[in-house]
Amino acid sequence: MNTLLFIGIGLIALLGAPLFVIFGSIALISFHSAGIDTSAIIIEMYRLASAPTLVAIPLFTFAGYLMAESKTPERLVALAKPLFGWMPGGLSIMAIVACAFFTAFTGASGVTIIALGGLLYPILMKEKYPDSFSMGLVTTCGSVGLMFPPSLPLILYGLFSGASIDQLFLAGLFPGLLIIAILSIYSIAVNRKVKEERHPFNLKQIFKAIRGAAWELPLPFIIFFGIYGGYATASEAAAVTAFYIFIVEVFIYRDLSLTKDVPRIAKQSMVLVGSIVVIFAVAMGFTSYLIDEQVPMHLFEWIRTFITSKWVFLLALNLFLLIVGSLMDIFSAIIVVVPLIIPIAKEFGVDPVHLGIIFLTNLEIGYLHPPVGLNLFLSSIRFKRSIINLYWVTLPFLLLLVLSLIIITYWPDLSLFLVHRLYPGTPVVP
Amino acid sequence: MPVQKLNEWIGKVEGYLLTLILVVMIGLAFTQVVLRNFFSTGISWGDALVRHLVLWVGFIGASVAAKEDSHLAMDLVSRFLPDKLRKPTAAFVHAASAFVCALLTLASYRFMIGEKEMGSFLLPGVPNYWAVAIIPIGFGMMTLRFALKIITDIQFFTKGAK
């Protein structure tokens, strides 16, 4: 009977049923067959609702959507152009940096491609970059920056793994910069022959652009100073950010109308928050059931029969996460997979903070991974390209991201040394 | 169809509610930060209220997501289905979703009753179970919306067959 049900659930999952329905039905079946009242599913979820970090999710999401809908992308590009335009391959680097900054705030929900991609692609084409390179770069950059604070996936990972969010924010910095560096070097190398019009370094233009974005630029510093100066927790930083961005975009720049735009943006952003909240409403019950049944421990013992080394385990984990990342969106993947992986990874001696960075790098690749990477679809809609074409143009970028993943996985100190510096008390897992 | 009109109208109300709750949430959370850092004080029930408001925006948002068919999904096969098969499979998926949501509504309703019997208060004069009532309401709304979608799916299908 249950086998039949699970086949049915698998079928509707493939046909595109909401993930919360899938995990909800699995939770209902497992609780019911264990003879536990199904209201216990909701109790588990309510327990997590008392985590103070939860508030950061709607607040940062709303702030990110406000920025995406206002003229922040234009101001960002206006600033990045004179800053990087004088370098060889400068405009492609500008595109990467602008996207990374923007994605950190919008949480990689795909807004970057819609809001920034449409601005950047024409600029790249005008400067005679090859079309396939420009398209590939814009599609890839939709998720670069995922590891910079205060990105939503980082916060979600912290919430579900129990790892400190302050430490995760620090740990993401250098791996994020590594990815930017690798993509930039590639861009310079590939476009040596592009007769790009060099824009001379112009201090005046930079100052003008800085003045233009003067209200938005301090934001990353406010967040960093707030958290690491000990003035605010991550969720308090989220409250300040949301409040600040709201005032700046609505009352200072006046890009958004309080009565027309704000309600629409509130609704759009909370649809995303809502679809995350319901998944965790049902997944918490499901995963805590699995943990009570010691499924991760059994899984660990089974894995240990053929994997004994931490490094081989990390390789297997990468392959597993790439598959997950190409099937599921990043939010669902974190909510469902993290609670199950954490105990196993701990047994292999993987630091939960480092694991988080590995996790996010994998899922970042998932955005580009055929057949259903989200960025591929967004780009295909935004730029009216065929998916197959996008598979090809993003392939070199996909390989570069895999290279970054290998470095990030096998060089834990890249993620962890800042954490150990600032939090000397944290145990170093051997 | 009057049901569709009602659905649209509820959608509008949900939009305004979301804006209102978000504004209250941001205002309250920001006030707490200011009070704590500059006056070393705070509203004692403030943080708990903000956390419950997250549940409210979450479940109202999820209800809107059901209306707009924008819940997170795997979408592995459906994107590549031929047009002819799309509506029938959508009807099937919506029916399954409505069924699961109905069960989750019941589960969360029993959870809410449990909270009521515990008799705890979220803030002075507001019992906790009022705050968690949004969970069964949200799942209930999703049940109705998925059920409504089955009807439109079938209507489209029969019209398209002619």
Side-chain angles (χ1 to χ4, degrees):
Chain A
M1 179 62 195
N2 273 2
T3 338
L4 218 64
L5 272 174
F6 281 115
I7 292 171
I9 292 170
L11 186 68
I12 60 165
L14 289 179
L15 289 175
L19 279 167
F20 88 90
V21 168
I22 310 299
F23 296 119
S25 51
I26 299 174
L28 285 165
I29 294 171
S30 35
F31 275 70
H32 183 76
S33 49
I36 309 166
D37 190 288
T38 49
S39 64
I41 299 170
I42 312 295
I43 294 178
E44 287 299 329
M45 173 249 176
Y46 191 60
R47 200 168 48 80
L48 195 73
S50 58
T53 328
L54 189 69
V55 189
I57 295 173
L59 293 179
F60 274 131
T61 309
F62 183 56
Y65 270 70
L66 283 176
M67 288 172 86
E69 293 273 332
S70 66
K71 293 205 181 68
T72 311
E74 279 93 340
R75 286 189 285 268
L76 202 58
V77 171
L79 175 64
K81 233 171 137 179
L83 268 184
F84 298 101
W86 54 275
M87 290 195 255
L91 283 172
S92 45
I93 298 174
M94 161 210 77
I96 299 167
V97 173
C99 284
F101 179 88
F102 198 71
T103 307
F105 279 91
T106 53
S109 44
V111 198
T112 307
I113 289 182
I114 309 283
L116 260 180
L119 276 178
L120 292 172
Y121 177 67
I123 295 178
L124 290 171
M125 289 305 287
K126 209 178 113 201
E127 303 279 342
K128 309 223 169 39
Y129 280 86
D131 178 67
S132 61
F133 169 82
S134 310
M135 196 72 257
L137 184 73
V138 168
T139 309
T140 307
C141 287
S143 54
V144 169
L146 207 73
M147 272 172 300
F148 293 123
S151 98
L152 193 56
L154 268 179
I155 297 173
L156 265 186
Y157 177 86
L159 194 61
F160 283 89
S161 65
S164 141
I165 291 181
D166 301 359
Q167 294 185 15
L168 281 167
F169 278 0
L170 284 177
L173 281 180
F174 280 96
L177 287 175
L178 173 79
I179 292 178
I180 291 184
I182 288 180
L183 291 179
S184 301
I185 291 169
Y186 172 75
S187 303
I188 294 171
V190 160
N191 297 305
R192 285 185 314 265
K193 293 199 186 85
V194 175
K195 286 225 171 55
E196 172 188 29
E197 201 186 315
R198 288 285 180 81
H199 304 264
F201 187 77
N202 183 339
L203 210 59
K204 227 168 152 188
Q205 221 178 350
I206 294 180
F207 274 124
K208 202 177 147 224
I210 289 181
R211 261 210 308 278
W215 287 99
E216 283 150 337
L217 277 182
L219 199 56
F221 303 100
I222 295 177
I223 294 176
F224 246 82
F225 188 67
I227 294 180
Y228 300 105
Y231 297 100
T233 61
S235 53
E236 290 177 331
V240 175
T241 305
F243 184 80
Y244 181 83
I245 285 291
F246 183 76
I247 300 291
V248 165
E249 307 296 356
V250 177
F251 296 107
I252 295 180
Y253 286 125
R254 295 172 188 258
D255 286 347
L256 303 169
S257 140
L258 185 62
T259 46
K260 272 192 226 122
D261 298 319
V262 173
R264 178 175 52 86
I265 298 168
K267 194 170 166 181
Q268 274 174 8
S269 55
M270 288 312 111
V271 164
L272 176 67
V273 171
S275 36
I276 295 174
V277 166
V278 279
I279 290 181
F280 101 66
V282 294
M284 274 310 284
F286 170 59
T287 50
S288 70
Y289 172 79
L290 291 185
I291 289 166
D292 282 348
E293 295 289 302
Q294 298 197 311
V295 172
M297 281 334 287
H298 293 310
L299 215 57
F300 167 67
E301 269 150 32
W302 177 71
I303 292 172
R304 215 178 39 180
T305 53
F306 39 95
I307 296 178
T308 44
S309 125
K310 173 180 169 184
W311 306 109
V312 182
F313 166 74
L314 283 175
L315 183 68
L317 182 72
N318 277 331
L319 290 176
F320 169 72
L321 288 177
L322 283 179
I323 296 170
V324 170
S326 65
L327 288 177
M328 264 186 234
D329 66 281
I330 191 162
F331 306 117
S332 321
I334 290 173
I335 296 171
V336 178
V337 178
V338 167
L340 301 178
I341 292 286
I342 284 283
I344 300 176
K346 262 188 190 147
E347 293 292 330
F348 277 104
V350 183
D351 187 292
V353 174
H354 181 215
L355 181 71
I357 304 303
I358 297 175
F359 214 94
L360 291 191
T361 314
N362 271 295
L363 296 175
E364 185 169 329
I365 296 173
Y367 275 86
L368 283 186
H369 206 289
V372 291
L374 180 66
N375 282 359
L376 300 169
F377 279 93
L378 288 172
S379 254
S380 111
I381 295 166
R382 180 67 183 74
F383 300 105
K384 304 197 169 52
R385 293 296 178 95
S386 81
I387 288 282
I388 307 293
N389 173 250
L390 287 169
Y391 288 168
W392 279 112
V393 299
T394 53
L395 188 65
F397 295 96
L398 185 70
L399 295 176
L400 288 173
L401 288 181
V402 171
L403 174 70
S404 321
L405 171 67
I406 295 170
I407 299 175
I408 289 167
T409 307
Y410 291 106
W411 186 14
D413 277 343
L414 180 70
S415 313
L416 294 177
F417 91 94
L418 256 188
V419 179
H420 293 319
R421 261 286 159 79
L422 265 90
Y423 298 87
T426 46
V428 184
V429 182
Chain B
M1 201 165 48
V3 191
Q4 293 290 10
K5 253 188 195 151
L6 181 68
N7 190 18
E8 290 301 319
W9 185 80
I10 294 176
K12 262 195 194 132
V13 174
E14 284 170 328
Y16 291 125
L17 265 179
L18 283 175
T19 314
L20 183 73
I21 299 172
L22 249 183
V23 169
V24 171
M25 197 162 88
I26 294 171
L28 190 60
F30 184 71
T31 312
Q32 289 284 66
V33 179
V34 173
L35 286 179
R36 199 162 305 147
N37 279 302
F38 295 101
F39 305 96
S40 342
T41 169
I43 307 165
S44 59
W45 40 263
D47 289 351
L49 179 59
V50 169
R51 284 200 299 272
H52 283 83
L53 289 179
V54 177
L55 284 184
W56 278 70
V57 289
F59 275 91
I60 298 173
S63 163
V64 177
K67 177 170 176 280
E68 295 175 354
D69 248 337
S70 53
H71 270 290
L72 300 170
M74 286 218 273
D75 256 4
L76 201 55
V77 179
S78 57
R79 283 191 206 264
F80 303 102
L81 274 182
D83 283 346
K84 244 188 186 172
L85 282 173
R86 275 207 185 157
K87 283 288 163 181
T89 51
F92 176 61
V93 166
H94 285 139
S97 306
F99 179 68
V100 173
C101 280
L103 292 178
L104 289 170
T105 311
L106 279 177
S108 48
Y109 177 75
R110 281 204 300 276
F111 165 75
M112 185 194 78
I113 296 299
E115 282 291 307
K116 188 183 174 184
E117 279 161 3
M118 289 224 282
S120 53
F121 281 82
L122 176 62
L123 38 144
V126 179
N128 213 27
Y129 82 95
W130 288 11
V132 301
I134 193 63
I135 306 176
I137 293 172
F139 278 126
M141 280 302 299
M142 283 186 265
T143 311
L144 296 177
R145 282 198 160 133
F146 284 126
L148 200 60
K149 285 206 182 285
I150 309 171
I151 301 172
T152 44
D153 289 336
I154 293 173
Q155 269 179 348
F156 189 89
F157 183 55
T158 48
K159 266 184 207 155
K162 269 176 196 170

